[in-house]
Amino acid sequence: MSAGLIIAMSLRQWGLIDASMDNDASVETVDGDRRQADLARSIRRAGWDQIAHWTPGVPGSGSWPPPDEVVKPELTIAPWLLAIDVLERWAASGDRVGHHDRAAQKRELRELIISRLQAHGVQIH
């Protein structure tokens, strides 16, 4: 795996990514792109590995820190780009069903990720 980019955020923010990736993986598995579903799952696993120290098959592993703790997930560029797309997709969905606060949180996180990627020279289209 190539070197990743660390973007610091609160665990609460990472939870938005984790939940959005879970939703996206489910939808893409049934009605879409299997590769995107696999990438979404890999993003979730990367978070579990780094944040919760999750170990498959080990009961009790995976305790997450408090919601306000700063975490530093490390992903390569492609997963970060998927994260910004998925956050927008699920924010739009949230707006449609009246979950405007949660949608706003996802868009705020999306902008944070975009600004950090751009600071590292990544072009966002």
Side-chain angles (χ1 to χ4, degrees):
M1 183 160 130
S2 63
L5 174 65
I6 295 171
I7 298 179
M9 62 186 69
S10 70
L11 180 64
R12 184 175 286 110
Q13 289 171 310
W14 178 259
L16 294 171
I17 293 173
D18 184 71
S20 296
M21 289 300 140
D22 185 32
N23 292 340
D24 203 61
S26 295
V27 169
E28 293 298 335
T29 296
V30 173
D31 292 326
D33 182 342
R34 283 284 237 203
R35 285 177 293 176
Q36 184 169 320
D38 290 344
L39 182 56
R41 282 193 225 24
S42 75
I43 291 167
R44 294 187 76 215
R45 277 190 303 277
W48 299 337
D49 290 348
Q50 294 172 25
I51 295 166
H53 308 292
W54 178 74
T55 305
V58 178
S61 71
S63 297
W64 286 42
D68 291 328
E69 185 166 319
V70 173
V71 297
K72 298 176 181 177
E74 181 177 3
L75 301 171
T76 58
I77 300 303
W80 283 124
L81 293 174
L82 178 61
I84 63 176
D85 289 344
V86 168
L87 285 167
E88 179 53 40
R89 186 171 27 246
W90 289 102
S93 177
D95 277 337
R96 284 191 299 275
V97 297
H99 297 159
H100 303 296
D101 288 344
R102 189 64 125 189
Q105 292 170 353
K106 289 177 182 175
R107 287 192 176 102
E108 181 180 311
L109 177 55
R110 181 180 183 275
E111 291 305 314
L112 169 76
I113 295 168
I114 288 171
S115 71
R116 300 285 169 78
L117 290 174
Q118 288 173 331
H120 284 85
V122 177
Q123 299 294 318
I124 309 294
H125 303 294

Coordinates of all heavy atoms in Angstrom, one line a residue, residues 32-97:
G32 N -25.0 -1.6 -7.1 CA -24.0 -0.7 -7.8 C -22.7 -1.4 -8.0 O -22.6 -2.5 -8.5
D33 N -21.7 -0.7 -7.7 CA -20.3 -1.0 -8.0 C -19.6 -1.8 -6.8 O -19.4 -1.2 -5.7 CB -19.5 0.3 -8.2 CG -18.1 0.2 -8.6 OD1 -17.5 -0.9 -8.4 OD2 -17.6 1.1 -9.2
R34 N -19.4 -3.0 -7.1 CA -18.8 -3.9 -6.0 C -17.4 -3.4 -5.6 O -17.0 -3.5 -4.4 CB -18.6 -5.3 -6.5 CG -19.9 -6.1 -6.6 CD -20.2 -6.5 -5.2 NE -20.4 -7.9 -5.0 CZ -21.1 -8.4 -4.0 NH1 -21.7 -7.6 -3.2 NH2 -21.2 -9.7 -3.9
R35 N -16.6 -2.8 -6.5 CA -15.3 -2.3 -6.1 C -15.4 -1.1 -5.2 O -14.7 -1.0 -4.2 CB -14.5 -1.9 -7.4 CG -14.0 -3.2 -8.1 CD -13.2 -2.8 -9.3 NE -14.3 -2.2 -10.2 CZ -14.0 -1.7 -11.4 NH1 -12.8 -1.7 -11.9 NH2 -15.0 -1.3 -12.2
Q36 N -16.4 -0.3 -5.4 CA -16.7 0.9 -4.5 C -17.1 0.4 -3.2 O -16.7 0.9 -2.1 CB -17.7 1.8 -5.1 CG -17.9 3.1 -4.2 CD -18.7 4.1 -4.9 OE1 -18.5 4.4 -6.0 NE2 -19.6 4.8 -4.1
A37 N -18.0 -0.7 -3.1 CA -18.4 -1.3 -1.9 C -17.2 -1.8 -1.1 O -17.1 -1.6 0.1 CB -19.4 -2.4 -2.1
D38 N -16.3 -2.5 -1.8 CA -15.1 -3.0 -1.1 C -14.2 -1.9 -0.6 O -13.6 -2.0 0.5 CB -14.3 -3.9 -2.1 CG -15.0 -5.2 -2.4 OD1 -15.9 -5.6 -1.7 OD2 -14.6 -5.8 -3.4
L39 N -14.1 -0.8 -1.4 CA -13.2 0.3 -0.9 C -13.9 1.0 0.3 O -13.2 1.3 1.3 CB -13.1 1.4 -2.1 CG -12.2 2.6 -1.7 CD1 -10.8 2.2 -1.2 CD2 -12.1 3.5 -2.9
A40 N -15.2 1.1 0.3 CA -15.9 1.7 1.5 C -15.6 0.8 2.7 O -15.4 1.3 3.8 CB -17.4 1.8 1.2
R41 N -15.7 -0.5 2.5 CA -15.4 -1.4 3.7 C -14.0 -1.3 4.1 O -13.7 -1.4 5.3 CB -15.8 -2.8 3.3 CG -17.2 -3.2 3.3 CD -17.4 -4.7 3.2 NE -18.4 -5.3 2.4 CZ -18.9 -4.9 1.3 NH1 -18.7 -3.8 0.8 NH2 -19.8 -5.6 0.6
S42 N -13.1 -1.1 3.2 CA -11.7 -1.0 3.6 C -11.4 0.3 4.3 O -10.6 0.3 5.2 CB -10.7 -1.1 2.3 OG -10.8 0.1 1.6
I43 N -12.1 1.3 4.0 CA -12.0 2.6 4.8 C -12.5 2.4 6.2 O -11.8 2.8 7.1 CB -12.8 3.7 4.1 CG1 -12.2 4.1 2.7 CG2 -13.0 4.9 5.0 CD1 -13.0 5.0 1.8
R44 N -13.6 1.7 6.4 CA -14.1 1.4 7.7 C -13.1 0.6 8.5 O -12.8 0.9 9.6 CB -15.4 0.7 7.6 CG -16.5 1.5 7.0 CD -17.9 0.8 7.1 NE -18.3 0.9 8.5 CZ -19.0 0.0 9.2 NH1 -19.3 -1.1 8.6 NH2 -19.4 0.2 10.4
R45 N -12.5 -0.5 7.8 CA -11.5 -1.3 8.5 C -10.3 -0.5 8.9 O -9.7 -0.7 10.0 CB -11.1 -2.5 7.6 CG -12.1 -3.7 7.7 CD -11.6 -4.9 7.1 NE -11.2 -4.7 5.7 CZ -12.1 -4.8 4.6 NH1 -13.4 -5.0 4.9 NH2 -11.7 -4.6 3.4
A46 N -9.9 0.4 8.0 CA -8.7 1.2 8.4 C -9.0 2.0 9.6 O -8.1 2.2 10.5 CB -8.3 2.1 7.2
G47 N -10.2 2.6 9.7 CA -10.5 3.3 10.9 C -10.5 2.4 12.1 O -10.0 2.8 13.2
W48 N -11.1 1.2 12.0 CA -11.2 0.3 13.2 C -9.7 0.0 13.6 O -9.4 -0.1 14.8 CB -11.9 -0.9 12.8 CG -13.3 -0.8 12.4 CD1 -14.2 0.3 12.8 CD2 -14.1 -1.6 11.6 NE1 -15.4 0.1 12.2 CE2 -15.4 -1.1 11.5 CE3 -13.9 -2.8 11.0 CZ2 -16.4 -1.7 10.8 CZ3 -14.9 -3.4 10.3 CH2 -16.1 -2.9 10.2
D49 N -8.9 -0.3 12.6 CA -7.5 -0.7 12.9 C -6.7 0.4 13.6 O -6.0 0.1 14.5 CB -6.8 -1.1 11.6 CG -7.2 -2.4 11.0 OD1 -8.0 -3.1 11.6 OD2 -6.9 -2.6 9.8
Q50 N -6.9 1.6 13.2 CA -6.1 2.7 13.7 C -6.8 3.4 14.9 O -6.1 3.8 15.8 CB -5.9 3.8 12.6 CG -5.1 3.3 11.5 CD -5.1 4.3 10.4 OE1 -5.2 5.5 10.6 NE2 -4.8 3.8 9.2
I51 N -8.1 3.5 15.0 CA -8.8 4.2 16.0 C -9.2 3.3 17.1 O -9.0 3.5 18.3 CB -10.0 4.9 15.5 CG1 -9.5 6.0 14.5 CG2 -10.8 5.6 16.6 CD1 -10.5 6.6 13.6
A52 N -9.7 2.1 16.8 CA -10.2 1.2 17.8 C -9.3 0.0 18.1 O -9.6 -0.8 18.9 CB -11.6 0.7 17.4
H53 N -8.3 0.0 17.3 CA -7.3 -1.2 17.4 C -8.1 -2.5 17.3 O -7.9 -3.4 18.1 CB -6.5 -1.1 18.7 CG -5.8 0.2 18.8 ND1 -4.8 0.6 18.0 CD2 -6.1 1.3 19.7 CE1 -4.4 1.8 18.3 NE2 -5.2 2.3 19.3
W54 N -9.0 -2.5 16.4 CA -9.9 -3.7 16.1 C -9.1 -4.8 15.6 O -8.3 -4.7 14.6 CB -11.0 -3.3 15.2 CG -11.9 -4.4 14.8 CD1 -12.9 -4.9 15.7 CD2 -12.0 -5.1 13.6 NE1 -13.6 -5.9 15.0 CE2 -13.1 -6.0 13.7 CE3 -11.3 -5.0 12.4 CZ2 -13.4 -6.9 12.7 CZ3 -11.7 -5.8 11.4 CH2 -12.7 -6.7 11.5
T55 N -9.2 -6.0 16.1 CA -8.6 -7.2 15.6 C -9.7 -8.2 15.3 O -10.4 -8.6 16.2 CB -7.6 -7.8 16.7 OG1 -6.7 -6.7 17.1 CG2 -6.8 -8.9 16.1
P56 N -9.8 -8.7 14.1 CA -10.8 -9.6 13.7 C -10.7 -10.9 14.6 O -9.6 -11.4 14.8 CB -10.5 -10.0 12.2 CG -9.7 -8.8 11.7 CD -9.0 -8.3 12.9
G57 N -11.8 -11.3 15.1 CA -11.8 -12.6 15.9 C -11.4 -12.4 17.4 O -11.3 -13.4 18.1
V58 N -11.1 -11.2 17.8 CA -10.6 -11.0 19.2 C -11.7 -10.2 19.9 O -11.9 -9.0 19.8 CB -9.3 -10.2 19.2 CG1 -8.9 -9.9 20.7 CG2 -8.2 -10.9 18.5
P59 N -12.4 -11.0 20.8 CA -13.5 -10.3 21.6 C -12.9 -9.3 22.5 O -11.8 -9.4 23.0 CB -14.1 -11.5 22.4 CG -13.7 -12.7 21.7 CD -12.4 -12.4 21.0
G60 N -13.6 -8.1 22.6 CA -13.2 -7.1 23.4 C -12.2 -6.1 22.7 O -12.0 -5.0 23.3
S61 N -11.7 -6.4 21.6 CA -10.9 -5.4 20.9 C -11.9 -4.4 20.2 O -13.0 -4.7 20.0 CB -10.0 -6.1 19.8 OG -10.7 -6.6 18.7
G62 N -11.4 -3.3 19.9 CA -12.3 -2.4 19.2 C -13.0 -1.4 20.0 O -14.0 -0.8 19.6
S63 N -12.5 -1.1 21.3 CA -13.2 -0.1 22.1 C -12.7 1.3 21.5 O -11.5 1.5 21.4 CB -12.7 -0.2 23.5 OG -13.2 -1.5 24.0
W64 N -13.7 2.1 21.2 CA -13.4 3.4 20.6 C -13.2 4.4 21.7 O -13.8 4.3 22.8 CB -14.6 3.8 19.7 CG -14.6 3.1 18.4 CD1 -14.5 1.8 18.2 CD2 -14.9 3.7 17.2 NE1 -14.6 1.5 16.9 CE2 -14.9 2.6 16.2 CE3 -15.2 4.9 16.7 CZ2 -15.1 2.8 14.9 CZ3 -15.4 5.1 15.4 CH2 -15.3 4.1 14.5
P65 N -12.3 5.4 21.5 CA -12.0 6.4 22.4 C -13.3 7.3 22.6 O -14.2 7.2 21.8 CB -10.9 7.2 21.8 CG -10.7 6.7 20.4 CD -11.5 5.5 20.3
P66 N -13.3 8.3 23.5 CA -14.4 9.2 23.7 C -14.6 10.0 22.4 O -13.7 10.3 21.6 CB -14.0 10.1 24.8 CG -12.8 9.5 25.4 CD -12.2 8.6 24.4
P67 N -15.9 10.5 22.1 CA -16.3 11.2 20.9 C -15.5 12.4 20.6 O -15.3 12.8 19.4 CB -17.7 11.5 21.1 CG -18.2 10.7 22.2 CD -17.0 10.3 23.0
D68 N -15.0 13.1 21.6 CA -14.3 14.4 21.3 C -12.7 14.2 21.2 O -12.0 15.1 20.9 CB -14.5 15.4 22.4 CG -16.0 15.9 22.4 OD1 -16.5 15.9 21.3 OD2 -16.6 16.2 23.5
E69 N -12.3 13.0 21.4 CA -10.8 12.7 21.2 C -10.4 12.9 19.8 O -11.1 12.5 18.9 CB -10.5 11.3 21.7 CG -9.0 11.0 21.7 CD -8.6 9.8 22.4 OE1 -9.2 9.5 23.5 OE2 -7.7 9.1 21.9
V70 N -9.3 13.5 19.6 CA -8.7 13.7 18.3 C -8.1 12.4 17.8 O -7.3 11.8 18.5 CB -7.7 14.9 18.2 CG1 -7.0 15.0 16.8 CG2 -8.4 16.2 18.6
V71 N -8.5 12.0 16.6 CA -8.0 10.8 16.0 C -7.3 11.2 14.7 O -7.6 12.2 14.1 CB -9.1 9.7 15.8 CG1 -9.7 9.3 17.1 CG2 -10.2 10.2 14.9
K72 N -6.5 10.3 14.2 CA -5.7 10.7 13.0 C -5.7 9.5 12.0 O -4.7 8.8 11.8 CB -4.3 11.0 13.4 CG -4.2 12.2 14.3 CD -2.8 12.5 14.8 CE -2.8 13.7 15.7 NZ -1.5 14.0 16.3
P73 N -6.9 9.3 11.4 CA -6.9 8.2 10.4 C -6.0 8.5 9.2 O -5.9 9.6 8.8 CB -8.4 8.2 10.0 CG -8.9 9.5 10.4 CD -8.1 10.0 11.5
E74 N -5.4 7.4 8.7 CA -4.5 7.5 7.6 C -5.0 6.7 6.4 O -5.2 5.5 6.6 CB -3.1 7.0 8.0 CG -2.1 7.1 6.9 CD -0.7 6.6 7.3 OE1 -0.5 6.2 8.5 OE2 0.2 6.7 6.5
L75 N -5.3 7.4 5.3 CA -5.8 6.7 4.1 C -5.0 7.3 2.9 O -4.5 8.4 3.0 CB -7.3 7.0 3.9 CG -8.3 6.6 5.0 CD1 -9.6 7.2 4.7 CD2 -8.3 5.1 5.1
T76 N -4.9 6.5 1.9 CA -4.3 7.0 0.6 C -5.4 8.0 0.0 O -6.5 8.1 0.4 CB -4.0 5.9 -0.3 OG1 -5.1 5.1 -0.6 CG2 -2.9 5.0 0.3
I77 N -5.0 8.6 -1.1 CA -5.8 9.6 -1.7 C -7.1 9.1 -2.2 O -8.2 9.7 -2.0 CB -5.0 10.3 -2.9 CG1 -3.7 11.0 -2.3 CG2 -5.9 11.3 -3.6 CD1 -3.9 12.0 -1.2
A78 N -7.1 7.9 -2.9 CA -8.4 7.4 -3.4 C -9.5 7.2 -2.4 O -10.6 7.6 -2.6 CB -8.1 6.1 -4.2
P79 N -9.1 6.6 -1.2 CA -10.2 6.5 -0.2 C -10.6 7.9 0.4 O -11.8 8.0 0.6 CB -9.5 5.7 0.9 CG -8.4 4.9 0.2 CD -8.0 5.8 -0.9
W80 N -9.7 8.8 0.5 CA -10.2 10.2 0.9 C -11.1 10.8 -0.1 O -12.1 11.4 0.3 CB -9.0 11.1 1.2 CG -8.3 10.8 2.5 CD1 -6.9 10.6 2.7 CD2 -8.8 10.9 3.8 NE1 -6.7 10.4 4.0 CE2 -7.8 10.6 4.7 CE3 -10.1 11.1 4.3 CZ2 -8.0 10.5 6.1 CZ3 -10.3 11.0 5.7 CH2 -9.3 10.8 6.6
L81 N -10.8 10.6 -1.4 CA -11.7 11.1 -2.4 C -13.1 10.5 -2.4 O -14.1 11.1 -2.5 CB -11.1 11.0 -3.8 CG -9.8 11.8 -4.0 CD1 -9.2 11.5 -5.4 CD2 -10.1 13.3 -3.9
L82 N -13.1 9.2 -2.2 CA -14.4 8.5 -2.0 C -15.1 9.0 -0.8 O -16.3 9.2 -0.8 CB -14.2 7.0 -1.9 CG -15.5 6.2 -1.7 CD1 -16.5 6.4 -2.9 CD2 -15.2 4.7 -1.5
A83 N -14.4 9.2 0.3 CA -15.0 9.8 1.5 C -15.7 11.1 1.3 O -16.9 11.3 1.7 CB -14.0 9.9 2.6
I84 N -15.1 12.0 0.5 CA -15.8 13.3 0.3 C -17.0 13.1 -0.6 O -18.0 13.8 -0.4 CB -14.8 14.4 -0.3 CG1 -14.2 14.0 -1.6 CG2 -13.7 14.7 0.8 CD1 -13.4 15.1 -2.2
D85 N -16.9 12.2 -1.6 CA -18.1 12.0 -2.4 C -19.3 11.3 -1.6 O -20.4 11.7 -1.8 CB -17.8 11.0 -3.6 CG -16.9 11.7 -4.6 OD1 -16.8 13.0 -4.6 OD2 -16.3 11.0 -5.5
V86 N -18.9 10.4 -0.8 CA -19.9 9.6 0.0 C -20.5 10.6 1.0 O -21.8 10.5 1.2 CB -19.3 8.4 0.6 CG1 -20.3 7.7 1.6 CG2 -19.0 7.4 -0.5
L87 N -19.7 11.4 1.7 CA -20.3 12.3 2.6 C -21.3 13.3 2.0 O -22.4 13.5 2.5 CB -19.2 13.2 3.3 CG -18.3 12.4 4.3 CD1 -17.1 13.2 4.7 CD2 -19.2 12.1 5.6
E88 N -21.0 13.7 0.8 CA -22.0 14.6 0.1 C -23.2 13.9 -0.3 O -24.4 14.3 -0.1 CB -21.4 15.3 -1.1 CG -22.3 16.2 -1.9 CD -23.0 17.2 -1.0 OE1 -22.3 17.8 -0.2 OE2 -24.2 17.5 -1.2
R89 N -23.1 12.6 -0.8 CA -24.2 11.8 -1.2 C -25.2 11.6 0.0 O -26.4 11.8 -0.1 CB -23.8 10.5 -1.8 CG -24.9 9.7 -2.3 CD -24.4 8.5 -3.1 NE -23.1 7.9 -2.7 CZ -22.0 8.0 -3.5 NH1 -22.0 8.4 -4.7 NH2 -20.8 7.5 -3.1
W90 N -24.6 11.2 1.2 CA -25.5 11.0 2.3 C -25.9 12.2 3.0 O -27.0 12.3 3.6 CB -24.8 10.0 3.3 CG -24.7 8.7 2.6 CD1 -23.6 8.1 2.0 CD2 -25.8 7.8 2.5 NE1 -24.0 6.9 1.5 CE2 -25.3 6.6 1.7 CE3 -27.1 7.8 2.8 CZ2 -26.1 5.6 1.4 CZ3 -28.0 6.7 2.5 CH2 -27.5 5.6 1.8
A91 N -25.2 13.4 2.8 CA -25.7 14.6 3.3 C -27.0 15.0 2.5 O -28.0 15.5 3.1 CB -24.6 15.7 3.2
A92 N -26.9 14.9 1.2 CA -28.1 15.2 0.4 C -29.3 14.3 0.7 O -30.4 14.7 0.8 CB -27.7 15.0 -1.1
S93 N -29.0 13.0 1.0 CA -30.0 12.1 1.4 C -30.6 12.6 2.7 O -31.9 12.6 2.9 CB -29.5 10.7 1.5 OG -30.4 9.8 2.0
G94 N -29.8 13.0 3.7 CA -30.3 13.5 5.0 C -31.1 14.7 4.8 O -32.2 14.8 5.5
D95 N -30.7 15.6 3.9 CA -31.6 16.8 3.7 C -33.0 16.4 3.1 O -34.0 17.0 3.6 CB -30.9 17.7 2.7 CG -29.9 18.7 3.3 OD1 -30.0 18.9 4.5 OD2 -29.0 19.1 2.6
R96 N -33.0 15.4 2.3 CA -34.3 15.0 1.7 C -35.2 14.5 2.7 O -36.4 14.6 2.6 CB -34.1 13.9 0.6 CG -33.6 14.5 -0.7 CD -33.6 13.5 -1.9 NE -32.8 12.3 -1.6 CZ -31.5 12.2 -1.9 NH1 -30.9 13.3 -2.4 NH2 -30.8 11.1 -1.7
V97 N -34.7 13.8 3.8 CA -35.6 13.3 4.8 C -35.6 14.2 6.1 O -36.2 13.7 7.1 CB -35.2 11.8 5.2 CG1 -35.3 10.9 4.0 CG2 -33.8 11.8 5.8

